[in-house]
Structure formats: structure tokens, C-alpha cells
Amino acid sequence: MLYVHIPYCHHKCSYCGFYSVAGHRDTQDYVDALCCELKIRRTDKPLKTIYFGGGTPSLLPVRQLEQIILTIRDNYNLSQLEEVTLEANPENLTPQYLDEIARFGLFNRLSVGVQSFVDVELKMLNRVHSRQQASDAIRSAANAGFTNVSIDLIMGLPLPYRVGLQNSLTVLDELLPLGVIRHLSCYELTVEQGTILDRQLQMGRLIMPNDEIVVSDYEVLREWCKTRGFEQYEVSNYCQPGWRSRHNSRYWNRTPYIGAGAAAHSFEGLSRRWNVSDIERYIAGAKVGDIPYEEEILSAADAYNEYVMTALRTIEGIDKAMVPEEYRSVLSKSIQFALKEGLVEETHTHYRPTTEGLLKADGIAARLFV
Ligand code: SF4
């Protein structure tokens, strides 16, 4: 697994707490540095999935994307490659851009950051694109031959500009006949400290919705998915049968991965490392073959807690065979409350969250931590 991080954005969305640099920049030095890192960390182990995430990877000029792709092709074993995703924002997905990236013959999945199909909500979120641009982008992706498109939406948007998730789903209905929307990621809006949204809330310009409204968004979404044949396979992820995100599913299975780029995280089974969250320092480090990063060795308890937290967010739940021997009896006692309250069901092999349990997955996991 390889994750490639592009930490640039057109401008900052109001809710965004990720590390990304906004505004028009020359990204060539960064791409050169990224290619240096990809060479330094080359491996013969076959890659099954690659994910270009950000930031906004679709902001890169086509020739720079091509430079990264050529570096990956020259340094990694792609003989078992199953899925290569490009995260993209609608305003970048012009017919010409899509035709050019389709010609690389590498990307077989697009993850489009739509967030909402309602203009007033998009404006509130400080997104660049409009509803029309989002619809056009998906039509253009289908025309360019992409057959696996994932759409990102946000639920639980603030008042008074909130129109509601149903309106976005109605637009999505118009696009479904294209036959390319296979996957939906729908996250509840969270307020990160220091973001524009945080300030707007403090000034009283926006008001977060109460739990009832959020739960009703969730219900609307689940009903829409059910009637359109999308299965929920993780708290925030839905897909047509057979179209799960293979890359993200591997994160949840604790598969080791390489993360390249400024601020990118890597997981090596027993440790996690994260590159410096500073583009200038990242570029300077790459030039001398020494990219600054920090590393954390995971204790057995850390690994157990991480597994419980991610597994409970999936419909499969906790695989007992994945729980280290030393924690099995601890888990069988601590999870009793969730079994009694109908939040989790026990099978021979798994502890599986119920529908209600999925909604409360993070809270349940917190009570299982050691
Ligand atoms: S496009 Fe994504 S990464 Fe960039 S500012 Fe918006 S939410 Fe953040």
C-alpha cells in the first residue's frame, strides 16, 4: 500500500483542520522532493493499492502527476495492483484534465470532494465549486471512461444555511444512471479548533445542529443507500456490492503502508511514523536525502486499542482472531455492556456492531480501551 500526499489547496475550506497550504503556488520543488522520497523508500514488495490524497491532488499540473507516476512505476512492483485512487475536487475535473489523467492508464478510481450539492451550503463551507460544477465533473468523469467514482458528502451542516442532506441525495439520484457512482463517503461535520468554522460558531454566525437533526441526516442517508442498493460497510462509508474502497479497508485491517509526502503517515506494523508537517523543511530534507520525521513504537495496548477502535466502525466488527491472546479475556468482559444494550452481537468469530452500535461505535470503543 502506498499513500501519496499532496498538501496544497486552492484555498482553505471553513471546516478544514488538515495540514494544507492554500493559494496558488509553484509545486515543482515539492513534487521533486516527493519523487526523491518515493525513490528512497522503494520496495520490491508488490503494491496492491495506491492513494493520492491531500490537500487537493487534482490541483497538480498533469505533467507533475505524470512525474510522480513515472517515479512509482520505476521504483515499485505494480504487478498486483488492484486500485489506484485520485482524490479530486470538482472544479479541477474538466473534460480535458480527465482525458489526460485517464491516458496515464493508472488511476481506476476517483474520489470526488463534493461535500454538498446545494450552492448555499457549499458557500457556507467555503468550497470553491458550485452544484453545477460538481454534477458536470461527475458526468465528465463518466465520459472520460472512469467507472469507479466515490462521492464525499458532509452531514450535520450548521444552521441557518443548512438545507439538508436530502437535497444533495436528490441531485445524486440524477447522476446515478451514469452507472459510475459506486461509493459514498459521508462524514458528520466536526468542529476543529482554529478553523474558520470554529470562529463563525464562536461569533454566533452559525449554529451547530442538535443531535436530533444529525441523527435524522443519518437516517435519511441510510434509507437512501438501502433503496439504491448501497451497503454500509463502515460508519461513514457505503458502496454498491463489490465496490468497497480496497485501500481504506486495508487501513482498517491494519495492513502496513508507506505514506510519502509532507505530513504523510506511515504504518509499519509495530510502529507509526509521520513526516514533518512543513513543506519547506520537507523539501530541504529531501534534497539531502534525510526527510525529518517522528516515529512512535506502538505498545501492545496501543495496537489493541487502535484495532478495537477501527474494527468496531466496520460492519464485520472485531475479529476475535485479530485480538492478541493476552487481551481476549479482557475484551470478553469489557464488551458485556454493549452486548446487553444490543449495541454489539457476538458470533463464533466476531463481535459485530448492530445498526445502533455503528452509530455509537466510537463511544463503545472508548469503553473497551486498555
Ligand atoms: S480541499 Fe480538503 S484539504 Fe483542502 S482545505 Fe478543503 S477540506 Fe481541507
Side-chain angles (χ1 to χ4, degrees), residues 8-9 11-13 15-16 18 20 54-56 89 127:
Y8 294 97
C9 291
H11 72 259
K12 210 70 185 159
C13 302
Y15 55 92
C16 181
F18 296 123
S20 72
T56 310
N89 278 347
R127 298 289 299 189

